[in-house]
Structure formats: structure tokens, C-alpha cells
Amino acid sequence: MTQMTEMTDLYPSRGATEVTTPRRDPVVWSPPGTPGPISDPDLQAYERDGFLAVDQLITDDEVAVYRQELERLVTDPEIRADERSIIEPQSKEIRSVFEVHRISEVFARLVRDERVVGRARQLLGSDVYVHQSRINVKPGFGASGFYWHSDFETWHAEDGLPNMRTVSVSIALTENYDTNGGLMIMPGSHKTFLGCAGATPKDNYKKSLQMQDAGTPSDEALTSLAAQHGIRLFTGRAGSATWFDCNCMHGSGDNITPFPRSNVFIVFNSVENKAVEPFAAPVRRPEFIGARDFTPVQ
């Protein structure tokens, strides 16, 4: 008997119809009073809203180092030709580069930085590993956005993460204005799982990383969630960061301004929530998108 058939699917998705399931997992996994870099009031806000904004996670000097490394990666012909690079369908520019903590020692150090991994351990109540890392590049004048989705819906359906014990951090490497395609989250949406309709095509990731299709909520569901929770747009200077729960409904718009928006995105998963076989996909996604190396970050 396989691992998947032994495990109950707590969050069914990709069926004939769209379904909602109340969250069955904690949001903050550490017991109250657990020491860590996040204060109790901020933990309570994260529990309520599903996100935590940090005005300055890294310094201006550090931002300059990471910006320089991002530019090196996106201008390297070998990186562009690598399957870990996702190319914009219209402009043919690099949209994302995955597994940057393996490609770049500079970003590997950021993952190990206690300001980063320490918050992940505190939120998830355990040691953590990197389920996914990438740099996102949104140059001005037409870079496309990311449509509304829950990351957990994809990571559960296509990567086999059993429980909602995963957190993402988006660290701004450029100014995030209210006009250049910033992150939007529906506060409180993490408390309900939206199981999307429609089967997962084989190798769905090749299309979904450019334009989301399978795993996309209906207009009716999004309208209902937005009416219930509202929408928060995140702005901030380079060096700011947003931590958000894996089940937050979120997205971002196109960037038609002259001002680029770039960020580094790291997904930490609990070592006690290791990926099994996909719950609603014919095959696993590649490891550079959904890791199968569960070595804790040290």
C-alpha cells in the first residue's frame, strides 16, 4: 500500500466541483510563550489575519548585495537556459528563478539567517526545511501578475504537503508602491480551504508558472471571500518583508509602471509535514519547485 492511500486527505480539491473545508490545522504551531523573534501581539495578529508585515527585515546594505546577486542571475545565459528559470510569455524576460538557495550561496546565506529561519521555526513550532525558493522579477512596462490562489491548494494537490504547516516570506528588493504590482492578501482567508474544480493536467507546472489555470478559484468564490475578508495591499521600502500563511488567498497585479518590483520568496515547511505523493495530480512536480530533500535548515 502506498503512502498516499494510507493518509487521509484533509483538504480535497481538483474534483468535479468547487468545495470549501474549514481549516483543520493550527495557524501558529508553537505553544504560547515560546521564545522567538516574533512578539506575542504579532503572533496573535498572524493567527487572526494570516500574515505579518515587517518594515525592515534586512538593511539597505544587504538589499544592495541581494539586488546585485539577482541581477547576476537574471542576466546569466546559463541560468536563463536552465529549467529553473521561468520566462514571461509576452516579453520573453525572466519572470522567476527557482531554487535560488541552491544556485546561489548569497541567497543560501539569507535562508540560514536567524532573522529569517528563526521566524519560520517559531511560527511552525519545529525545525524547518525549504520547500521552495525563488526570485521574482517584475520589470516595469507590462510584467504580468499572479492570479488569485492559495499556495497550499497547489502544494497539497501537486506536491503532497499533508497539512497547513508551511509559511512563506516575501522580501522586497525594490520599493513596493501601491501601483507596481504588489502583493495582495485577503485577511482571514487562511481559515477556510477552497478546493478548486477541475483535474490537474500532467506537467501542469509548465503552464501554471507562467499563467495559473488548474487550481484557480471561481469568480463567485473570490467575490464571496473578498466581501467577507476585504483585500490588503502590501507596500514598503526595499528590505521590508511579508510573512504569510500557506492558505492565504493572495495574488498580484500587472506592473505597467516604470518602476520595477523584485523580491526573493522563500517557503519554509515543517520537518514534521514532509511531502508525500500528490493528493490530486498524476505525478510529482520537479524537486526545484517542490523539494524532496527534507534536511533542516541549520
Side-chain angles (χ1 to χ4, degrees):
M1 185 176 293
T2 66
Q3 200 172 13
M4 183 175 170
T5 55
E6 291 174 352
M7 180 166 288
T8 301
D9 184 354
L10 298 176
Y11 301 104
S13 190
R14 311 285 174 99
T17 59
E18 206 168 47
V19 294
T20 57
T21 304
R23 187 186 184 106
R24 305 184 187 278
D25 293 304
V27 178
V28 177
W29 288 76
S30 292
T34 301
I38 306 176
S39 68
D40 284 343
D42 281 347
L43 285 174
Q44 292 167 10
Y46 182 88
E47 165 79 32
R48 180 190 68 239
D49 298 328
F51 57 79
L52 173 64
V54 178
D55 290 337
Q56 185 175 36
L57 183 68
I58 57 176
T59 67
D60 292 345
D61 288 343
E62 290 170 313
V63 167
V65 171
Y66 295 123
R67 280 275 298 277
Q68 184 177 33
E69 181 68 352
L70 181 147
E71 291 299 321
R72 183 187 73 80
L73 292 174
V74 299
T75 56
D76 184 332
E78 290 188 12
I79 297 294
R80 182 184 176 86
D82 193 292
E83 66 173 346
R84 289 173 288 193
S85 293
I86 309 302
I87 308 300
E88 281 273 4
Q90 300 298 326
S91 68
K92 305 303 179 184
E93 295 185 24
I94 287 182
R95 175 189 179 102
S96 301
V97 180
F98 280 79
E99 217 171 36
V100 289
H101 70 295
R102 295 194 183 279
I103 294 174
S104 163
E105 177 54 34
V106 173
F107 285 114
R109 290 198 299 270
L110 179 63
V111 166
R112 298 191 298 266
D113 191 310
E114 193 60 29
R115 292 169 296 179
V116 177
V117 70
R119 284 177 166 85
R121 293 190 190 108
Q122 187 179 6
L123 290 168
L124 302 181
S126 69
D127 280 334
V128 297
Y129 70 93
V130 176
H131 176 70
Q132 185 185 104
S133 72
R134 67 179 187 260
I135 48 174
N136 290 329
V137 183
K138 268 194 178 181
F141 301 116
S144 55
F146 293 85
Y147 197 69
W148 291 105
H149 64 286
S150 154
D151 286 330
F152 180 75
E153 193 279 336
T154 297
W155 298 338
H156 181 71
E158 300 186 39
D159 297 338
L161 295 191
N163 296 95
M164 295 179 183
R165 198 170 181 179
T166 314
V167 64
S168 301
V169 59
S170 175
I171 304 172
L173 300 183
T174 54
E175 183 88 13
N176 279 237
Y177 301 103
D178 57 3
T179 53
N180 65 340
L183 174 68
M184 296 181 288
I185 294 179
M186 298 185 186
S189 59
H190 63 303
K191 297 291 184 71
T192 303
F193 177 74
L194 181 63
C196 298
T200 309
K202 186 179 180 182
D203 290 340
N204 178 55
Y205 76 93
K206 292 181 180 179
K207 180 180 179 183
S208 67
L209 295 177
Q210 292 181 329
M211 185 66 67
Q212 188 84 358
D213 188 9
T216 301
S218 68
D219 291 353
E220 292 77 14
L222 290 170
T223 300
S224 176
L225 285 169
Q228 181 179 354
H229 300 292
I231 296 173
R232 164 81 182 271
L233 170 66
F234 291 86
T235 59
R237 64 195 301 269
S240 63
T242 306
W243 293 84
F244 58 103
D245 178 83
C246 58
N247 192 46
C248 285
M249 190 61 67
H250 68 287
S252 64
D254 296 350
N255 182 13
I256 62 171
T257 75
F259 311 115
R261 176 183 173 265
S262 299
N263 68 301
V264 55
F265 181 79
I266 307 163
V267 181
F268 293 101
N269 189 40
S270 168
V271 296
E272 298 172 13
N273 189 43
K274 296 173 183 175
V276 295
E277 292 305 312
F279 285 88
V283 294
R284 300 175 179 180
R285 297 197 298 175
E287 291 198 27
F288 69 83
I289 301 174
R292 297 282 162 170
D293 179 352
F294 309 129
T295 305
V297 177
Q298 301 291 349

